[in-house]
Amino acid sequence: MKIQGVLFDKDGTLIEVNATWVPIYREILKELFATDDAGAEALMQKAGYDPATGKFKAGSLLAGGTTRQIAATWWPELSGEAFEARVHNLDHGYTHLVRDKLTPLMPLEPLLVELRGMGLKLGVATNDSHVSAKAHMAHVGVIEHFDDIIAADTVAVPKPSGNMIRKFAEITGLPAASLAMVGDNHHDMEEARAGGAGLAIAVLSGNAAREDIAHLADYTIESVADLPALLRSL
């Protein structure tokens, strides 16, 4: 079936994950735990930061987990309202840091204009929160190109349940088999399979190396810059 819609993962696919989130999380944790750089990095390691590379490990919570999963790693003793307050703070309390650090992987406007010119419906499927994901796409100036932004808190179960594929199919009226899921994490490829997407396309612009993800994908490309040419070739 011809591909008629594309769902993009956000961090590592559209947004430069390490240049953006390593310094942001470092500052957040220093403030929340009243610690120094070393203390913040120790906390990040619990959620998947590799100090040897300065990057998040492929498949880790920091690479593809939800805010709730990350918060549970840092505050395992909390529950109820206290835990929800931490989740809310992570999602809403640091927009000033995001504005300063958020870095797209490339100029996204020309890419998205080209894809829409090919008649494709476009969406974002992220395990980030909806409020954060919308703010990030607005901040880099491309939110109007997406038919929907689907986040961990807008589906019953986040990636890799398949719910995001199914929701985008419902929103656009397209068959799931006509959708391509594009991402840098094994959760993205598993989301494509679980949701019945027509294609799972891996990008190597995040934290997963080719050997981490290519075997899970139908196609592997260096970055989303190569996506229009790939789709035209099919």
Side-chain angles (χ1 to χ4, degrees):
M1 182 177 287
K2 180 182 178 182
I3 294 300
Q4 301 176 72
V6 178
L7 264 179
F8 295 95
D9 172 54
K10 180 169 66 71
D11 297 316
T13 303
L14 301 175
I15 300 297
E16 213 299 336
V17 61
N18 297 296
T20 295
W21 293 107
V22 170
I24 288 175
Y25 278 126
R26 183 181 289 118
E27 291 305 309
I28 288 173
L29 292 170
K30 283 166 65 176
E31 177 180 323
L32 291 177
F33 286 88
T35 189
D36 57 10
D37 283 345
E41 292 204 356
L43 288 161
M44 284 197 292
Q45 285 181 60
K46 291 183 177 181
Y49 174 70
D50 182 357
T53 62
K55 298 179 179 180
F56 302 145
K57 296 176 183 177
S60 68
L61 288 181
L62 286 174
T66 68
T67 306
R68 299 180 68 82
Q69 290 170 330
I70 294 168
T73 298
W74 289 332
W75 294 282
E77 74 282 4
L78 296 182
S79 61
E81 291 184 4
F83 178 75
E84 296 301 329
R86 290 298 189 187
V87 172
H88 185 272
N89 192 28
L90 288 175
D91 282 337
H92 295 265
Y94 296 94
T95 55
H96 60 292
L97 291 180
V98 175
R99 283 195 299 268
D100 292 341
K101 301 294 185 183
L102 194 68
T103 306
L105 274 161
M106 64 198 70
L108 296 175
E109 175 82 11
L111 169 72
L112 299 175
V113 167
E114 182 176 2
L115 291 170
R116 288 183 69 86
M118 294 166 63
L120 296 164
K121 300 288 187 181
L122 305 179
V124 173
T126 175
N127 272 354
D128 201 351
S129 70
H130 191 243
V131 65
S132 294
K134 283 188 66 176
H136 299 167
M137 293 299 95
H139 183 65
V140 297
V142 295
I143 193 169
E144 70 275 8
H145 294 298
F146 296 110
D147 294 277
D148 198 29
I149 293 177
I150 303 170
D153 51 356
T154 63
V155 291
V157 183
K159 288 188 284 189
S161 68
N163 283 341
M164 294 187 184
I165 294 290
R166 288 187 284 269
K167 182 171 183 178
F168 194 62
E170 180 181 349
I171 287 166
T172 59
L174 297 173
S178 74
L179 303 178
M181 178 75 218
V182 183
D184 71 308
N185 191 288
H186 66 85
H187 279 181
D188 301 311
M189 305 300 99
E190 293 165 3
E191 174 72 14
R193 304 304 183 204
L199 287 179
I201 301 173
V203 292
L204 303 178
S205 50
N207 291 306
R210 187 175 294 273
E211 58 268 25
D212 297 320
I213 197 171
H215 63 288
L216 301 173
D218 296 302
Y219 297 94
T220 302
I221 55 180
E222 290 299 317
S223 77
V224 291
D226 299 327
L227 184 61
L230 171 63
L231 294 178
R232 287 192 175 100
S233 74
L234 300 179

